[in-house]
Amino acid sequence: MSFKYLAALVALTATANAAITRRVACPDGINTATNAACCALFPILDDIQTNLFDGGECGEETHESLRLTFHDAIGFSLSKGPAGGGGADGSISTFSDIETNFHANNGVDEIVEEQRPFLAKHNITAGDFIQFAGAVGLSNCPGAPQLDFMFGRPTATAPAPDLTVPEPFDTVDSILSRFADVGFTPAEVIALLASHTVAAADHVDPTIPGTPFDSTPFTFDTQVFLEVQLRGTLFPGTGGNQGEVESPLRGEMRLQSDHDLARDSRTACLWQANVNQQAHMASTFKAAMAKLAVLGHDVSNMVDCSEVIPVPPPFTGAAIFPAGLSNADIEQACATTAFPTLQSAPGPVTSVAPVPPS
């Protein structure tokens, strides 16, 4: 091949690639997009960042919006066919009078109603809004991946069936079976649980609302995978609440399901593999969320508007044992790999503050 021919081929390829990636100017005169359909999302982005997420905070509305993406999408069953629900279709909002009364959806009515004025204001379906808000909200959390967003979910036509959302007191067998019914492997189940690093519970134990699942609930880091492996007998907890296990950190809640998945032979090594492995946790969570967010839909009929989702702030810190704790406090469960050796935070033992309501 002559140099002249090769140079011409390179130039032609560059021109073709430029044509493929040529951006469209949006009507607002500010933004551009690779697909004109995505322009409609920029006003929604600005509105929810300012008025739902308090100017871009990784706070309670972010936590609850991320939770809602899961509760809407998982209301789906491949084995039940048309009776298995529409997946990530917004039915939890469209049919909120039905779905928010399901036991597993206790408490989601609050974020559904907080999101409703935004949904009414903008020309977007409930299914698209729920997944978009979850992805945008997470972008406010340092360390989080930039989630994918596919645009074009139709309006839900029926409520999801009950008993499709796993609960904290379910067995590992039940949880893995439920996820398998929507096409998720055990590795993807553990990947999705990275969401618990920016989560708190209001209704597992209603006497202690806003109780976080790890000591850093405003950062998408690997602390939850470390702290769930700690032995849970160092401090007295509230106890006696279904779905809840004592945590060694005062003010922190451990879900029964997290505790069991971190110790089950099928998932223990998958759980431990996230400890102090920020890039691994972020990338596997992003992939699992991309799959969850389009459950029930044909992506060939949707538009990729992932570029509209903001890039989250970075997090470069390391996992660290809370003060007073060390590797000696780990309840080792992975039979093939030793738990990583980590530093301990200095100072006296402290409690974890609740996530404040907005």
Side-chain angles (χ1 to χ4, degrees), residues 48-213:
I48 62 177
Q49 281 286 63
T50 300
N51 300 308
L52 179 61
F53 300 128
D54 299 322
E57 292 186 357
C58 182
E60 183 173 7
E61 278 67 35
T62 283
H63 301 170
E64 292 301 312
S65 292
L66 184 61
R67 181 186 180 215
L68 190 61
T69 65
F70 173 75
H71 281 252
D72 184 49
I74 202 68
F76 182 61
S77 171
L78 291 170
S79 63
K80 294 181 180 179
D89 62 355
S91 66
I92 200 166
S93 177
T94 304
F95 300 96
S96 59
D97 57 327
I98 296 173
E99 290 194 40
T100 61
N101 287 312
F102 296 164
H103 187 270
N105 289 335
N106 185 26
V108 300
D109 57 311
E110 296 171 12
I111 189 62
V112 166
E113 294 309 314
E114 279 193 74
Q115 290 187 358
R116 198 174 298 285
F118 299 94
L119 179 59
K121 181 178 178 181
H122 298 283
N123 184 25
I124 187 172
T125 66
D128 277 339
F129 183 83
I130 287 172
Q131 297 303 323
F132 184 67
V136 170
L138 187 67
S139 75
N140 297 321
C141 303
Q146 181 187 28
L147 294 185
D148 294 338
F149 177 69
M150 301 298 293
F151 192 24
R153 295 165 185 79
T155 299
T157 57
D162 196 3
L163 305 179
T164 50
V165 181
E167 300 206 53
F169 51 79
D170 288 347
T171 65
V172 172
D173 284 346
S174 174
I175 292 169
L176 296 183
S177 176
R178 175 78 275 274
F179 275 98
D181 186 35
V182 293
F184 281 76
T185 66
E188 290 171 324
V189 174
I190 300 304
L192 285 174
L193 290 174
S195 61
H196 285 180
T197 192
V198 286
D202 287 329
H203 297 279
V204 174
D205 185 345
T207 67
I208 46 172
T211 306
F213 298 150

Side-chain angles (χ1 to χ4, degrees), residues 28 142 155 195 220 266 325:
D28 62 10
T155 299
S195 61
F220 193 88
R266 292 163 289 184
L325 303 174

Side-chain angles (χ1 to χ4, degrees), residues 2-17:
S2 69
F3 176 78
K4 183 182 292 186
Y5 178 79
L6 180 60
L9 182 61
V10 169
L12 180 62
T13 301
T15 301
N17 287 339

